Amino acid sequence: EAEVAKAAADAAADAAAKAEADAAADAAEAAVAAWEAARVPDPFGDVRAVYHCNRAAVLQQLGRDEEAVDDCSLAIVASPKYVKAYMRRGQAYESLERYADGIRDMEQILELEPGMRLARERKTRMEKLEAERMEKLKEETLGKLKDLGNSLLGNFGLSTDNFKFDKDPSTGSYNIRFEQS
């Protein structure tokens, strides 16, 4: 299979070179067809996946989590059902505070192995961390909006503190009222 793949890849490269030189539409079509023929299963995908995943583990130990994510992604491309690569990439995402990406990896693991307790626990933890991150971001954004509002309202002798928001418990909507201080 490896020889067939190499021969197909060589044919595709030759066809691509001809397409570039001639700039002819049929030569480009031939190149596309040759590249499509070169797509054969990688007989060493599982081995390559283990290699990339192990290298990712070392990179994580060195604190190089971005590179670990890249290696785990290569492992997943080589072997899409390699649970350890998803787990390791999820860990790296968590270290990088990219919780949404880590949650997706844990969900993928749970699709492949529904009973994996560790993936479920990590997913729950990352969901909590993501919710905290989003709440902090929301508070920060609202603070900046309040500062902007105060800078505009200050021209009229007002402040955002002059406006009170009351939540209606029955509907969940807010009523705004003005209070002069």
Side-chain angles (χ1 to χ4, degrees), residues 28-152:
E29 287 299 323
V32 169
W35 282 113
E36 288 297 321
R39 287 188 185 176
V40 294
D42 182 358
F44 303 108
D46 291 341
V47 173
R48 191 178 353 275
V50 170
Y51 164 75
H52 285 295
C53 196
N54 287 345
R55 189 168 71 173
V58 173
L59 290 167
Q60 281 181 299
Q61 291 297 316
L62 295 172
R64 294 163 53 184
D65 292 305
E66 275 297 337
E67 293 171 80
V69 165
D70 294 341
D71 266 4
C72 287
S73 296
L74 290 171
I76 291 166
V77 167
S79 183
K81 294 182 180 182
Y82 189 31
V83 171
K84 187 182 271 189
Y86 286 105
M87 184 66 75
R88 195 158 281 150
R89 186 171 72 175
Q91 282 179 293
Y93 280 142
E94 185 176 1
S95 295
L96 294 167
E97 297 182 6
R98 290 172 53 185
Y99 305 119
D101 293 326
I103 291 167
R104 273 194 299 280
D105 278 351
M106 295 305 118
E107 288 170 347
Q108 183 64 40
I109 291 169
L110 292 171
E111 264 184 46
L112 295 169
E113 291 189 26
M116 186 175 262
R117 183 184 52 80
L118 182 59
R120 194 174 326 287
E121 289 170 358
R122 286 186 178 172
K123 179 180 180 246
T124 302
R125 182 179 66 233
M126 283 191 264
E127 286 171 338
K128 181 181 175 205
L129 291 167
E130 178 67 3
E132 289 171 1
R133 186 187 72 81
M134 291 303 290
E135 184 62 30
K136 182 179 172 188
L137 183 62
K138 183 176 81 173
E139 288 175 16
E140 189 177 298
T141 302
L142 287 174
K144 289 179 182 179
L145 284 172
K146 186 175 180 179
D147 291 344
L148 176 65
N150 283 335
S151 70
L152 294 172

